[in-house]
Amino acid sequence: MEEITYRTTGTCAREIRFTRDGDTIRNISFEGGCNGNLKAISKLCEGMKASDIARILGGNLCGSRGTSCADQLARAVMTNA
């Protein structure tokens, strides 16, 4: 199992941490950002395949930022594939 830390860009959350077991993502946590929403995203994505997280959350935008915390999670799991 590999522990990964991903530094976000363009979001209130500064960092995303998760573990990867093959293609399965677990133990997702965000530093900063909207606490309740990010806890919900973490719970919903627990145990999902990286490709499924990327497919579902990739491209989700927050206002005019061009990204979101969910989109950054999608990028993080695919960057570290």
Side-chain angles (χ1 to χ4, degrees):
M1 200 173 304
E2 177 184 11
E3 294 184 23
I4 297 168
T5 300
Y6 181 84
R7 298 209 46 88
T8 62
T9 57
T11 62
C12 298
R14 296 176 297 281
E15 199 171 81
I16 304 170
R17 292 184 199 98
F18 58 93
T19 56
R20 172 187 295 281
D21 185 5
D23 192 38
T24 302
I25 305 301
R26 300 192 186 282
N27 306 312
I28 302 164
S29 66
F30 291 80
E31 181 180 316
C34 303
N35 189 39
N37 290 334
L38 297 177
K39 282 181 181 176
I41 289 171
S42 297
K43 286 181 179 185
L44 291 169
C45 292
E46 178 68 21
M48 289 179 67
K49 301 288 185 196
S51 57
D52 291 334
I53 292 172
R55 178 180 50 80
I56 293 167
L57 299 180
N60 184 44
L61 305 181
C62 182
S64 61
R65 293 175 184 247
T67 190
S68 69
C69 293
D71 181 61
Q72 289 290 296
L73 176 58
R75 294 177 191 200
V77 299
M78 293 313 291
T79 298
N80 293 287

